[in-house]
Amino acid sequence: MFDRLVDVLTQAKTLRLVIDFFTVVVRIIPALLVVIALVPSFASFAFLSPGPRRSLLEIVDRLRKWTLAQN
């Protein structure tokens, strides 16, 4: 009986680690896609006037908040 209890607790701990891992992966993948998509924008960032530059920074800030939700 004790062995079964230890086995169940071990499985629950393993399941929790797997869930934590996939939660991190699900949060990182969209953030990486956003970074990859915005690389050309940052390459031309120095050539933008202040108005479009401010708009681009607002978009990046909103995407960052969306992909990396704070707990």
Side-chain angles (χ1 to χ4, degrees):
M1 180 66 180
F2 182 71
D3 291 337
R4 178 73 180 138
L5 179 63
V6 169
D7 188 41
V8 168
L9 291 174
T10 303
Q11 288 176 2
K13 188 175 181 181
T14 303
L15 180 62
R16 178 70 182 158
L17 289 173
V18 169
I19 290 172
D20 288 345
F21 173 75
F22 282 118
T23 302
V24 169
V25 168
V26 165
R27 286 186 178 182
I28 286 177
I29 289 175
L32 287 175
L33 291 176
V34 167
V35 168
I36 291 169
L38 292 175
V39 164
S41 298
F42 284 113
S44 62
F45 190 75
F47 304 105
L48 294 175
S49 62
R53 187 181 300 174
R54 195 173 316 112
S55 297
L56 180 64
L57 289 175
E58 288 174 6
I59 291 170
V60 170
D61 191 43
R62 287 181 186 173
L63 288 172
R64 183 186 56 83
K65 287 179 182 176
W66 178 70
T67 56
L68 301 174
Q70 298 179 2
N71 295 330

